[in-house]
Amino acid sequence: MLKLYTIEDILKEYAKQDELIRSRQQPEQTVRQEQPPVEEPPQTVPEPPEMTPEEEEAPPEPVEQPTEDIPEKKQRSKLMQLADRYGYLMEQLIKRDFKARYKGTFFGVLWSLMSPFAVMLVQYLVFSRLFGRNPDYVIYLLTGTTFFNFFNDSTVQEMFTLRQNAGIISKINVPKLTFFLSKAIACLINFFFVEVIYFVVLLLSDVRITPYCIGLVFPITLMFIMNMGIGYILSGLSLFFKDTQYIYNIFTNILLYLSAPFYYVSIFSETVQKLFYLNPVYCFITYARTVVIEARLPSFDLHLLCMFYALLSVTAAYLFNKKYSKRFIYYI
């Protein structure tokens, strides 16, 4: 049975962890007990001996005091302090977000493997056996659909982050980035299981897995960052406008066909082919296809373009947060 963490459980555990961390960071204070003064007998001060004029003019010799090496206490970085303070909360949020999507199902988390395997197996049999397509087209199709689904699933899940965690945000002071990061990591874990099935289909299709496949880390990492930026903006907009989820659903349906997941862009003219690079999802899909199918690294321009879209998403999210974050509490 899967154990789902409610908001009340997370708040209680977070309060315990926060109190424990605060107690560790406070310096130990020792309380001195006041003792009654003890009367000392009067002491007679002996008179100093008479000094000659030469001894009076001579300066006193400096007295060397023993020096002790006091070890300096190393200060932890701000990132490590944030990890200690909010690490436990993020861990519980990741578990909750990952398990919540399979709540009440018989197979539970196994659906994260069974569902993509069934879809990829059907596509493999249909396009490679029935329609007589070459194996390259099957991998071309699967690469496009898996990366687009990663983008779509992450942004849709993060769209409701602020609304789902309103109980925690309104009660304790926690950086909002914690909730988006936990949601994005949960989607990344689910995408990892999809990639495992993806490589199994590569082996079934007799596609040679080369060391260049390690290059998939680059588009996955940048798409992870881009998804968080877009998801944060969508989450804020969904608080102000309830119709955002329906508008975004229409937008992603159009974006699916503009990302060329199941057709070759070579059928268009060179001018139209260049316009496809205005779509960031197409850039990441093209990067992955080049690494897996062509077994080579893409051009340097494509590297820069992927980094530009990830940076643009984070910058837009930062500006949006700076301008509208104070108004979120009125709509939660």
Side-chain angles (χ1 to χ4, degrees):
M1 297 294 292
L2 295 176
K3 181 182 177 181
L4 294 177
Y5 295 88
T6 61
I7 293 178
E8 288 74 12
D9 296 336
I10 294 176
L11 286 174
K12 292 179 182 178
E13 294 296 333
Y14 174 76
K16 294 179 182 178
Q17 294 291 327
D18 188 47
E19 184 178 356
L20 180 61
I21 293 172
R22 288 177 179 273
S23 63
R24 291 177 180 175
Q25 293 178 351
Q26 291 178 353
E28 297 182 357
Q29 298 179 355
T30 58
V31 181
R32 297 182 179 179
Q33 298 181 357
E34 296 183 357
Q35 298 180 357
V38 180
E39 296 182 358
E40 297 181 356
Q43 298 179 359
T44 59
V45 180
E47 296 181 358
E50 295 182 358
M51 299 177 63
T52 60
E54 296 179 355
E55 292 178 348
E56 291 179 357
E57 294 178 358
E61 296 181 357
V63 180
E64 295 183 358
Q65 297 181 357
T67 59
E68 297 180 357
D69 296 335
I70 301 175
E72 296 181 357
K73 187 177 180 181
K74 295 183 178 180
Q75 295 183 353
R76 306 187 68 182
S77 62
K78 188 175 181 181
L79 183 62
M80 294 299 296
Q81 293 177 4
L82 291 175
D84 291 339
R85 188 174 179 82
Y86 305 109
Y88 179 80
L89 176 62
M90 183 175 294
E91 179 184 353
Q92 302 305 317
L93 290 174
I94 292 173
K95 292 180 180 179
R96 187 199 66 176
D97 294 336
F98 183 72
K99 294 179 180 180
R101 64 175 62 193
Y102 306 109
K103 178 182 177 181
T105 59
F106 181 77
F107 292 103
V109 182
L110 289 177
W111 279 113
S112 60
L113 289 172
M114 297 172 59
S115 179
F117 179 75
V119 173
M120 291 186 185
L121 183 62
V122 170
Q123 292 179 344
Y124 171 77
L125 294 176
V126 169
F127 290 100
S128 64
R129 301 300 179 184
L130 298 181
F131 292 166
R133 292 274 189 176
N134 55 5
D136 288 346
Y137 177 76
V138 179
I139 304 305
Y140 183 91
L141 172 65
L142 294 180
T143 304
T145 53
T146 53
F147 271 80
F148 182 84
N149 290 337
F150 176 47
F151 167 78
N152 187 38
D153 181 59
S154 298
T155 52
V156 170
Q157 292 291 328
E158 293 173 16
M159 186 192 306
F160 306 100
T161 300
L162 293 176
R163 195 179 303 171
Q164 291 176 351
N165 299 281
I168 303 178
I169 296 174
S170 59
K171 293 179 181 179
I172 57 177
N173 185 19
V174 182
K176 299 179 183 64
L177 181 62
T178 305
F179 303 101
F180 288 93
L181 188 59
S182 62
K183 184 75 71 173
I185 292 176
C187 295
L188 183 63
I189 294 174
N190 189 74
F191 180 71
F192 172 76
F193 291 123
V194 174
E195 285 297 289
V196 172
I197 305 301
Y198 172 76
F199 278 98
V200 172
V201 177
L202 287 181
L203 296 175
L204 293 176
S205 303
D206 296 330
V207 176
R208 188 166 59 94
I209 299 178
T210 63
Y212 288 100
C213 292
I214 302 176
L216 288 174
V217 176
F218 182 81
I220 292 174
T221 304
L222 292 182
M223 181 172 277
F224 172 81
I225 297 173
M226 185 184 72
N227 293 344
M228 275 211 314
I230 297 175
Y232 185 85
I233 296 175
L234 291 174
S235 184
L237 291 177
S238 65
L239 291 178
F240 302 147
F241 309 103
K242 301 297 183 182
D243 298 336
T244 302
Q245 54 181 325
Y246 304 106
I247 298 174
Y248 187 70
N249 186 26
I250 298 174
F251 173 77
T252 51
N253 289 331
I254 299 174
L255 189 66
L256 172 64
Y257 293 96
L258 295 179
S259 301
F262 46 80
Y263 61 87
Y264 295 101
V265 297
S266 57
I267 60 178
F268 301 102
S269 61
E270 294 184 0
T271 304
V272 177
Q273 292 180 27
K274 293 179 180 179
L275 293 177
F276 276 92
Y277 289 98
L278 297 176
N279 180 5
V281 181
Y282 173 78
C283 295
F284 292 111
I285 292 175
T286 304
Y287 191 106
R289 285 169 174 169
T290 305
V291 168
V292 175
I293 299 176
E294 301 180 15
R296 64 178 180 87
L297 291 177
S299 63
F300 184 70
D301 295 339
L302 188 58
H303 284 80
L304 292 179
L305 200 57
C306 293
M307 289 189 291
F308 168 75
Y309 284 125
L311 182 62
L312 179 64
S313 173
V314 173
T315 304
Y318 171 77
L319 297 176
F320 182 83
N321 174 74
K322 188 176 181 180
K323 187 174 182 180
Y324 297 105
S325 61
K326 295 182 181 179
R327 297 171 56 186
F328 289 167
I329 194 65
Y330 299 106
Y331 293 88
I332 291 179

